[in-house]
Amino acid sequence: MRKRASQMPSGESFSSSFTSSSLLSAILVLGSLGSGLAGDPFAHFDWTVSYLSSSPLGSKQQVIGINGLFPGPILNITTNWNIVINVKNELDEPLLLTWNGIQHRKNSWQDGVLGTNCPIPAGWNWTYQFQVKDQIGSFFYFPSLNFQRAAGGYGGIIINNRDVIPLPFAMPDGDITFFISDWYTKSHKKLRKDLEKGKDLGFPDGILINGFGPYQYDKQLVPDGITYQIINVEPAKTYRIRVHNVGISTSLNFRIQNHNLLLVETEGSYTVQQIYTNMDIHVGQSYSFLVTMDQNASTDYFIFASPSFNSSKFSKAAGVAVLHYSNSQGPALGPLPDPGESDAYVSMNQARSIRWNVSASAARPNPQGSFRYGDITVTDVYVILNRSPELINGKWRTTLNGISYLPPSTPLKLAQQFNLLGLYKLDFPNRLMNRPAKLDTSLINGTHKGFLEIIFQNNGTNVQSYHLDGYAFFVVGMDFGVWTESSRATYNKWDGVARSTTQVFPGAWTAILVSLDNAGIWNLRTENLDSWYLGQELYMSVVNPENDTDEFQLPDNTIYCGVLSSLQNDQAQRFKFSSASSTSNGRKIFLIALVAIAFGCFVLLPS
Ligand SMILES: *[C@@H]1O[C@H](CO)[C@@H](O)[C@H](O)[C@H]1NC(C)=O
Ligand SMILES: *[C@@H]1O[C@H](CO)[C@@H](O)[C@H](O)[C@H]1NC(C)=O
Ligand SMILES: *[C@@H]1O[C@H](CO)[C@@H](O)[C@H](O)[C@H]1NC(C)=O
Ligand SMILES: *[C@@H]1O[C@H](CO)[C@@H](O)[C@H](O)[C@H]1NC(C)=O
Ligand SMILES: *[C@@H]1O[C@H](CO)[C@@H](O)[C@H](O)[C@H]1NC(C)=O
Ligand SMILES: *[C@@H]1O[C@H](CO)[C@@H](O)[C@H](O)[C@H]1NC(C)=O
Ligand SMILES: *[C@@H]1O[C@H](CO)[C@@H](O)[C@H](O)[C@H]1NC(C)=O
Ligand SMILES: *[C@@H]1O[C@H](CO)[C@@H](O)[C@H](O)[C@H]1NC(C)=O
């Protein structure tokens, strides 16, 4: 017997209440960047993160859900809203959620990665509070620690335009989100153990679409009884389809049988609107397409996500969902859409064809292209090289410029706040150095208001996706071979798309430009979970030297750990932080901190 899980577009209901609580406004304004903020709406959410039982590929396994949902709820919000999300960790290990592509202007305190936040211990809750300032578009959130994304915990973020700013296309008739991902039947705990032992994860056991296994398109490949996703649509209507690759490390080719994908947006930028029959979507990337239901309804149609590369070696089931017109006459029929196997050359050409629509308005009424990035002088250049995992001090590790990131037990942002010396260095090298690979906590010293050029050079054998928190960057070039100064002649200085995640093909480079206007400590990582887990990340510190109140202040509910753990109230009182007496509290905390710092520096000075 086959099981079906149907989804009506935009039909979900979310537990968001909508208030403009003066208390919360007050808290935000206290730590905020001045006026205007209090006028923007607040949206409150309560999320419980816990294990659920699910059998996406036929055998029962533990997945991570939010409020009982896998994938988690969609955060459907609007430009400039203030988001308050109380996250309760019911897992058996620490948790942080990070918001892929949300820029957290001057507020890296809310970024939810190990360099900015202490993990939320098992059984605790913590409330994120941030504004989606000047952003629109399609993003997703996911758990950032301990390989948890391999078990789920992800969900979509939709930031709608404010009413005063028109979309650069007709309002679609519906909105449908797809999460596509490679999937293993091993738990995230077993997978990370394997990686620590130097084992390659090998090919995934299948590809999921929205947390569901494939339609039984092939009796050999797909066992009986798999629940698959059905998308219900109306004939002749046009839907906005948002697709996120939330997987571990597999680039996926997405397509819908007999239907065109009109690309309109990627990670918060409107693109030049172009028709594709399929799209390679790399890990961590998000796209919006408009799809018109323009086929006759003689049958249902397949929706397909399969590995972009080496698909002939992928002997497991591809991801297959079903597009069902309300007047459909019968089940979808083969042949399956062309397997979409591309080589890296074809895929790179497709990537290069994605352009910024310079005349479209995004979150503000002015055209996207009014920021003439091609005219700005570059202030700093980093050529960042990765290679395949290597043994460092007897452990399998990945590196960037020969450095494998070593997270200190005290988050960098807290170390900076409390002037804890010696926990990190601002010495990340501009190039690969002629020295042995090492583990280190080495940050890029970002020049505030500088204009940074980063070239990612991929010396490994897999596509790597790089993501920078806190920013969108311009993707200005990619090519095979080794980048040289003369490669700059090929840069797109006019309509390279601004996004937060870019792919770097094996044996190739990708160049990005980014304007460092967002103070904070920001994570630059590969989104490939296996490489990330082994150390392929770094942080960039951007400090406004003229104004030390330019960033949001330490949140009242900060969790302390590492050298600062003595500041953390004990478990029984852990949620009793008071904002009313924050000044005297602050002073007390400062004194304790001094003691802790003196003690901590003594104990933790690197040998
Ligand atoms: C998001 O919320 C708006 C109302 O604010 C609603 O019109 C729209 O259908 C919702 N989108 C989704 C995908 O639920
Ligand atoms: C934990 O949740 C409670 C409500 O259930 C809330 O009052 C409290 O502020 C939360 N704690 C933190 C640190 O966010
Ligand atoms: C509907 O489409 C199918 C496949 O493209 C075609 O064989 C069939 O003739 C079409 N039916 C009508 C009524 O247009
Ligand atoms: C660019 O955006 C404008 C809206 O400002 C829209 O009218 C136009 O069709 C878009 N151009 C392309 C090529 O997508
Ligand atoms: C970081 O850069 C700033 C200028 O942007 C400079 O003043 C400071 O000395 C640098 N810090 C280190 C440790 O290099
Ligand atoms: C395909 O797999 C081979 C190893 O089997 C690898 O060298 C190659 O880079 C892969 N291709 C891509 C585009 O990932
Ligand atoms: C990595 O670098 C080595 C040495 O420069 C080179 O021989 C090799 O081809 C490179 N591999 C890739 C995939 O770029
Ligand atoms: C420092 O930044 C804050 C917040 O952006 C701003 O209100 C203040 O005017 C700035 N101070 C100076 C001296 O620029």
Side-chain angles (χ1 to χ4, degrees):
M1 213 204 77
R2 306 251 189 89
K3 291 181 245 154
R4 305 145 68 101
S6 297
Q7 185 192 335
M8 291 295 292
S10 314
E12 291 134 295
S13 66
F14 305 110
S15 64
S16 72
S17 64
F18 192 55
T19 67
S20 85
S21 149
S22 57
L23 172 67
L24 285 164
S25 318
I27 292 171
L28 247 191
V29 167
L30 266 180
S32 86
L33 306 168
S35 59
L37 200 54
D40 292 314
F42 279 78
H44 296 260
F45 302 87
D46 277 305
W47 285 3
T48 299
V49 181
S50 67
Y51 293 118
L52 308 173
S53 168
S54 181
S55 315
L57 294 177
S59 50
K60 204 171 228 178
Q61 56 186 127
Q62 218 175 34
V63 302
I64 297 176
I66 298 181
N67 293 352
L69 300 172
F70 165 64
I74 290 178
L75 207 50
N76 178 18
I77 55 186
T78 298
T79 303
N80 292 349
W81 280 18
N82 295 292
I83 309 305
V84 182
I85 307 186
N86 190 351
V87 175
K88 193 169 174 208
N89 177 10
E90 287 193 354
L91 303 179
D92 58 355
E93 50 184 24
L95 170 76
L96 281 174
L97 291 181
T98 192
W99 319 90
N100 217 54
I102 301 302
Q103 290 175 11
H104 302 295
R105 302 230 25 110
K106 302 178 183 186
N107 194 6
S108 54
W109 296 113
Q110 305 294 327
D111 200 23
V113 286
L114 215 43
T116 58
N117 296 79
C118 295
I120 308 168
W124 291 40
N125 68 313
W126 192 66
T127 307
Y128 289 84
Q129 186 162 321
F130 55 87
Q131 188 181 25
V132 289
K133 183 82 182 145
D134 290 337
Q135 289 200 264
I136 56 98
S138 313
F139 310 97
F140 67 95
Y141 60 83
F142 68 91
S144 68
L145 303 180
N146 295 328
F147 221 70
Q148 287 161 1
R149 192 176 79 214
Y154 50 75
I157 304 174
I158 295 174
I159 310 183
N160 301 291
N161 280 31
R162 288 176 291 155
D163 287 340
V164 293
I165 299 177
L167 288 166
F169 42 82
M171 187 65 176
D173 299 303
D175 201 303
I176 306 171
T177 293
F178 287 100
F179 304 98
I180 58 177
S181 67
D182 53 9
W183 187 262
Y184 293 81
T185 50
K186 277 187 185 170
S187 72
H188 70 285
K189 293 179 184 175
K190 285 213 180 87
L191 290 171
R192 71 185 188 224
K193 277 263 143 43
D194 283 353
L195 285 173
E196 287 163 13
K197 286 190 221 137
K199 267 199 218 163
D200 187 277
L201 299 183
F203 277 106
D205 297 309
I207 308 296
L208 305 193
I209 297 182
N210 292 350
F212 294 107
Y215 170 84
Q216 197 180 35
Y217 66 98
D218 179 315
K219 292 231 182 254
Q220 258 74 54
L221 288 177
V222 185
D224 281 336
I226 302 277
T227 307
Y228 59 94
Q229 173 85 90
I230 295 189
I231 302 293
N232 293 306
V233 292
E234 295 296 326
K237 303 257 184 206
T238 296
Y239 296 84
R240 181 167 181 173
I241 290 191
R242 304 176 198 251
V243 192
H244 310 279
N245 185 335
V246 295
I248 297 173
S249 69
T250 309
S251 299
L252 296 173
N253 184 265
F254 179 84
R255 56 208 181 276
I256 304 178
Q257 189 181 23
N258 286 18
H259 290 73
N260 284 325
L261 307 171
L262 179 69
L263 177 68
V264 293
E265 180 250 344
T266 180
E267 295 156 23
S269 289
Y270 291 118
T271 62
V272 167
Q273 294 166 23
Q274 295 183 108
I275 291 174
Y276 295 86
T277 53
N278 64 81
M279 179 63 73
D280 282 331
I281 304 181
H282 304 276
V283 178
Q285 292 186 322
S286 302
Y287 287 97
S288 288
F289 307 99
L290 298 184
V291 180
T292 300
M293 301 307 148
D294 56 4
Q295 296 298 298
N296 76 38
S298 53
T299 63
D300 291 344
Y301 296 93
F302 290 125
I303 300 165
F304 214 55
S306 61
S308 298
F309 309 112
N310 283 325
S311 66
S312 50
K313 291 187 210 153
F314 179 74
S315 57
K316 309 284 177 54
V320 183
V322 167
L323 184 73
H324 177 77
Y325 282 47
S326 60
N327 58 342
S328 172
Q329 304 297 300
L333 299 174
L336 289 172
D338 175 15
E341 158 122 275
S342 49
D343 59 31
Y345 288 87
V346 172
S347 191
M348 187 185 282
N349 277 336
Q350 185 185 59
R352 284 176 177 146
S353 73
I354 299 168
R355 298 298 171 98
W356 213 27
N357 182 339
V358 292
S359 67
S361 307
R364 288 167 179 258
N366 48 316
Q368 292 182 142
S370 57
F371 186 79
R372 298 283 187 85
Y373 71 84
D375 296 342
I376 301 172
T377 306
V378 167
T379 55
D380 304 273
V381 182
Y382 284 81
V383 180
I384 299 183
L385 177 131
N386 72 283
R387 49 195 182 210
S388 297
E390 56 199 292
L391 268 177
I392 306 178
N393 305 344
K395 293 218 159 87
W396 285 101
R397 303 288 302 184
T398 50
T399 58
L400 291 173
N401 283 355
I403 299 174
S404 190
Y405 182 74
L406 183 66
S409 60
T410 314
L412 307 166
K413 189 71 192 145
L414 280 172
Q416 182 195 51
Q417 171 81 22
F418 288 93
N419 279 317
L420 303 175
L421 301 178
L423 294 191
Y424 64 85
K425 289 169 285 181
L426 292 170
D427 65 350
F428 190 83
N430 289 74
R431 306 283 154 117
L432 179 70
M433 311 281 275
N434 187 14
R435 64 185 182 196
K438 60 173 178 177
L439 291 160
D440 209 348
T441 312
S442 173
L443 278 62
I444 288 183
N445 184 17
T447 311
H448 187 250
K449 301 267 167 74
F451 200 60
L452 184 61
E453 177 184 12
I454 301 179
I455 298 98
F456 297 105
Q457 182 80 53
N458 185 352
N459 193 254
T461 54
N462 295 313
V463 176
Q464 298 291 317
S465 294
Y466 284 94
H467 176 88
L468 176 60
D469 284 352
Y471 292 95
F473 49 70
F474 298 94
V475 183
V476 294
M478 53 178 80
D479 207 348
F480 292 96
V482 175
W483 180 89
T484 64
E485 308 264 325
S486 60
S487 306
R488 291 196 177 111
T490 68
Y491 283 6
N492 176 349
K493 296 216 149 194
W494 169 240
D495 62 357
V497 76
R499 63 188 308 174
S500 58
T501 311
T502 188
Q503 68 273 47
V504 190
F505 293 95
W509 55 267
T510 297
I512 64 167
L513 297 174
V514 55
S515 171
L516 298 188
D517 59 356
N518 192 13
I521 291 190
W522 302 109
N523 188 220
L524 174 62
R525 60 174 173 269
T526 177
E527 294 275 40
N528 303 57
L529 213 45
D530 47 355
S531 314
W532 185 19
Y533 188 71
L534 297 180
Q536 196 172 321
E537 65 173 323
L538 59 81
Y539 284 83
M540 177 165 65
S541 169
V542 181
V543 174
N544 182 347
E546 281 146 29
N547 189 346
D548 58 9
T549 58
D550 195 25
E551 283 182 56
F552 277 67
Q553 290 161 20
L554 181 76
D556 286 342
N557 62 356
T558 298
I559 296 177
Y560 296 96
C561 56
V563 174
L564 298 172
S565 38
S566 59
L567 299 187
Q568 184 60 50
N569 292 10
D570 67 21
Q571 287 228 347
Q573 298 178 329
R574 64 187 187 260
F575 301 131
K576 299 265 168 67
F577 280 106
S578 142
S579 55
S581 60
S582 62
T583 357
S584 59
N585 248 358
R587 224 169 271 134
K588 194 168 83 198
I589 284 174
F590 183 62
L591 285 177
I592 301 169
L594 282 180
V595 177
I597 291 160
F599 181 70
C601 288
F602 178 70
V603 174
L604 282 184
L605 269 180
S607 46

